[in-house]
Amino acid sequence: MAMIMKISEFARNLTQDHEQVVPLSIFVAILCLCLIIGHLFEENRWVNESITAILIGFISGVIILWISKWKSSHILRFNEELFFVYLLPPIIFNAGFQVKKKRFFHNFLTIMMFGIVGAFISVAIVIAGSWQLFPKLGFTGLTARDYLAIGTIFSSTDTVCTLQILHQDETPLLYSLVFGEGVVNDATSVVLYNAIQKIDVRRLTSKAFLLIIGDFAYLFTASTALGVSAGLLTALILKRLFFTRHSSVREVALMVLMAYLSYTLAEVLELSGILTVFFCGIFMSHYAWHNVTDNSRISTRHVLLTCFKHVFAMLSFIAETFIFLYVGMDVVDIEKWRLNTLSIGNSLGIYGILILLILVGRAAFVFPLSALTNYMNGGRSSSITFKQQVVIWWAGIMRGAVSIALAFKQFTYSGVTSDPVHATMLNVTIVVVLITTMVFGFLTKPLVNYLLPSNGNNSSDNRSEPKSPKEEDMTPPLLSLEESTSTNLLRAKDSLSLLINRPVYTVHSYWRRFDDTYMRPIFGGANSSRSAC
């Protein structure tokens, strides 16, 4: 007994002397546990890292709740500013730097339709549905701005589970669409959220919605332009200011700091830092990286690329795991549940309504926009099969880090709230994220393996990938004495149709010529005449 009292007193004194270090150390230890257990279940057919983090967070929350004598299940308080300012930038920059630009920009219009038009459709459906159905289940007290914010909160996708299964080399088209839509959708949700905060919600007229669209267009364009400018400026500095052969660290540091500066500058100017740092990463990869001094590029090229790939992937993993750990702990947060104003039956109804709205909202744009894309392509290139459409639809059902961060930003102050309505909405967000991640994430691997078996991945998806003119059947429509007249006429007709439907000079070819003629001489880039984007 005396030994137990001494240990208890030692732990209490340690906590008092290191009030901030001890909780952080415990949380880091739990993160390490997630890493180990996630590795053990890596090949499991049903479990992924997000589910593992939520389960460990839930168990940890129960233990902490018991130790604290049922007062709190947290050892750290979630701060949305921590997520947006420190955790999100390296994730998005890595996405832009590592993206395969040729595939991304070839599918650019489809990605933009999914990420922007689709987000608007999903937001509208979630807002309309929640506005009409929440009061019928006794959930009142939300303001008009809250309902508009709910639309953006539950329209932000989390494609981590799906991207862990898809591969760029095996399913290039599908990976490009899911990855691109995920980044653009997150940016669109955040931009829409910021635009909604600026409008007068007391006068929700058609003019107000036009102002939202106009503000969104401005934020989207200005954020993209800022990211492109930061990437080009970095490339110009590296090209014009010759760094010595011993300055590879300075070159790498300059690229990283300029990318982070573009993100923070966008936030200061109330733009979208996600879009800014994403396009900054793309243009740094296309121009600035190739201006690294020859000696530095030879000695550190492999190390730098490996560093970018693994360090930013590590930060991405930590950020996502941090969020899902907190979600697991927050499920058993007694303080929020005590403030909950809904009965169990009404709570289940709210959860079901939101999940149904998410499902309908995604289906309302994925399938129609995919059909529109296939029609615009004439079924010749980048066609999206129905099975691929189902995977794209499923990939965006799960909600994650951005949804949690926006919910805390809307309904708390520094992670704390005493408003019963806001506390209830936080509980609803946590549970919806939990359900969509656990249930839909649980079924993601089996669904993808069933719809896109490994034996057919390459063949089906590669058929959807566009081929270059050299790979097309370019047999000229010349007469052949060895073939019949009908065969010659049919060949001529097909070749003429190919010429009409596939002009020699496409938008992509014009950009490549402009890039090689004007951009590369100024900003640098690969020596190859073929542009990566």
Side-chain angles (χ1 to χ4, degrees):
M1 180 64 68
M3 180 65 68
I4 296 176
M5 293 181 62
K6 289 183 179 180
I7 295 175
S8 177
E9 183 179 358
F10 174 77
R12 186 165 50 253
N13 293 334
L14 182 65
T15 304
Q16 293 175 352
D17 296 338
H18 305 278
E19 185 176 356
Q20 297 179 348
V21 177
V22 173
L24 184 61
S25 300
I26 296 174
F27 206 90
V28 171
I30 298 175
L31 283 173
C32 294
L33 182 63
C34 284
L35 177 65
I36 296 171
I37 296 179
H39 172 72
L40 296 177
F41 285 98
E42 185 176 6
E43 301 300 328
N44 189 278
R45 185 183 179 188
W46 303 95
V47 181
N48 55 58
E49 292 176 350
S50 302
I51 296 176
T52 302
I54 288 177
L55 292 176
I56 293 176
F58 177 79
I59 296 172
S60 302
V62 172
I63 296 173
I64 295 170
L65 192 64
W66 177 69
I67 293 175
S68 65
K69 297 181 180 179
W70 312 103
K71 293 181 180 179
S72 176
S73 62
H74 299 109
I75 51 178
L76 292 176
R77 282 289 177 188
F78 179 80
N79 188 342
E80 70 278 0
E81 295 299 326
L82 171 68
F83 175 76
F84 281 110
V85 176
Y86 299 107
L87 299 179
L88 192 59
I91 300 173
I92 305 300
F93 175 73
N94 178 64
F97 194 87
Q98 298 290 347
V99 67
K100 293 190 177 181
K101 296 179 286 298
K102 186 173 183 179
R103 291 171 182 165
F104 178 83
F105 283 103
H106 188 90
N107 300 313
F108 188 75
L109 291 179
T110 305
I111 290 172
M112 290 295 115
M113 284 196 300
F114 283 169
I116 299 177
V117 178
F120 271 92
I121 294 174
S122 180
V123 167
I125 290 176
V126 173
I127 291 174
S130 59
W131 207 322
Q132 291 295 321
L133 298 176
F134 279 11
K136 295 181 179 180
L137 290 175
F139 189 22
T140 58
L142 292 172
T143 64
R145 194 184 303 278
D146 290 336
Y147 280 111
L148 296 177
I150 287 171
T152 61
I153 289 169
F154 292 102
S155 296
S156 176
T157 63
D158 186 84
T159 58
V160 174
C161 293
T162 310
L163 291 178
Q164 289 173 357
I165 301 168
L166 300 177
H167 301 283
Q168 292 196 65
D169 297 326
E170 294 181 359
T171 55
L173 172 64
L174 195 58
Y175 187 94
S176 176
L177 293 177
V178 172
F179 168 79
E181 188 224 338
V183 175
V184 177
N185 177 279
D186 285 347
T188 302
S189 299
V190 175
V191 171
L192 272 178
Y193 176 86
N194 292 333
I196 286 171
Q197 303 304 312
K198 299 177 183 179
I199 67 171
D200 185 3
V201 295
R202 294 171 296 182
R203 299 177 180 178
L204 290 178
T205 61
S206 57
K207 183 178 180 180
F209 286 104
L210 289 176
L211 289 175
I212 291 178
I213 295 175
D215 195 24
F216 170 81
Y218 161 73
L219 291 175
F220 199 93
T221 304
S223 302
T224 303
L226 179 60
V228 172
S229 301
L232 293 178
L233 178 61
T234 305
L236 193 62
I237 292 175
L238 290 176
K239 183 177 177 64
R240 299 300 179 187
L241 298 180
F242 180 73
F243 284 78
T244 63
R245 64 179 183 175
H246 299 293
S247 301
S248 58
V249 174
R250 292 189 181 92
E251 293 171 320
V252 176
L254 180 64
M255 291 177 63
V256 173
L257 290 177
M258 285 292 290
Y260 190 75
L261 178 62
S262 70
Y263 181 89
T264 55
L265 185 59
E267 294 298 317
V268 169
L269 298 176
E270 297 184 346
L271 301 175
S272 172
I274 295 177
L275 273 177
T276 297
V277 77
F278 178 69
F279 280 97
C280 180
I282 289 178
F283 276 77
M284 280 190 179
S285 172
H286 190 60
Y287 295 110
W289 163 242
H290 298 282
N291 294 335
V292 176
T293 55
D294 291 338
N295 182 76
S296 172
R297 188 163 62 246
I298 293 172
S299 61
T300 66
R301 184 181 184 91
H302 177 72
V303 175
L304 181 60
L305 287 177
T306 304
C307 177
F308 275 178
K309 179 179 179 181
H310 293 290
V311 169
F312 287 111
M314 174 201 68
L315 293 176
S316 174
F317 167 78
I318 291 176
E320 292 286 344
T321 305
F322 176 90
I323 294 295
F324 287 115
L325 270 176
Y326 195 89
V327 167
M329 293 179 178
D330 219 45
V331 172
V332 290
D333 187 355
I334 298 297
E335 297 176 9
K336 292 190 181 71
W337 287 110
R338 285 174 179 170
L339 293 173
N340 196 333
T341 60
L342 296 175
S343 64
I344 296 177
N346 288 344
S347 297
L348 294 176
I350 296 293
Y351 307 150
I353 286 173
L354 282 172
I355 293 174
L356 180 62
L357 291 174
I358 292 171
L359 291 169
V360 174
R362 276 200 69 78
F365 75 84
V366 168
F367 298 105
L369 292 182
S370 297
L372 178 61
T373 299
N374 292 340
Y375 175 78
M376 292 171 59
N377 291 326
R380 290 182 174 271
S381 65
S382 300
S383 61
I384 308 173
T385 65
F386 180 73
K387 290 183 178 181
Q388 292 173 336
Q389 293 175 33
V390 173
V391 172
I392 295 172
W393 169 71
W394 188 274
I397 293 175
M398 287 161 281
R399 297 297 177 259
V402 175
S403 295
I404 294 293
L406 290 179
F408 272 84
K409 195 171 185 179
Q410 178 68 22
F411 299 111
T412 70
Y413 181 77
S414 297
V416 180
T417 181
S418 59
D419 188 329
V421 175
H422 289 176
T424 302
M425 198 61 234
L426 278 177
N427 286 337
V428 169
T429 304
I430 295 287
V431 173
V432 169
V433 170
L434 183 70
I435 293 174
T436 56
T437 303
M438 293 288 289
V439 176
F440 293 95
F442 190 73
L443 299 173
T444 296
K445 283 185 179 181
L447 178 71
V448 173
N449 292 335
Y450 174 75
L451 293 177
L452 303 173
S454 57
N455 292 334
N457 275 350
N458 292 335
S459 59
S460 62
D461 206 10
N462 288 340
R463 283 199 301 268
S464 299
E465 276 296 289
K467 297 179 181 180
S468 63
K470 292 181 180 180
E471 296 171 333
E472 298 284 355
D473 183 11
M474 301 300 290
T475 306
L478 300 178
L479 296 178
S480 174
L481 297 177
E482 298 179 358
E483 296 179 350
S484 64
T485 304
S486 60
T487 302
N488 284 316
L489 289 176
L490 183 61
R491 177 184 295 174
K493 180 181 177 180
D494 291 342
S495 298
L496 183 59
S497 176
L498 179 65
L499 182 61
I500 294 174
N501 289 306
R502 293 182 181 277
V504 176
Y505 297 108
T506 62
V507 175
H508 186 261
S509 67
Y510 278 121
W511 161 250
R512 285 173 53 181
R513 294 172 64 188
F514 175 79
D515 187 33
D516 292 336
T517 305
Y518 299 103
M519 298 294 288
R520 289 174 184 270
I522 298 175
F523 299 103
N527 294 327
S528 173
S529 60
R530 294 188 176 184
S531 172
C533 63

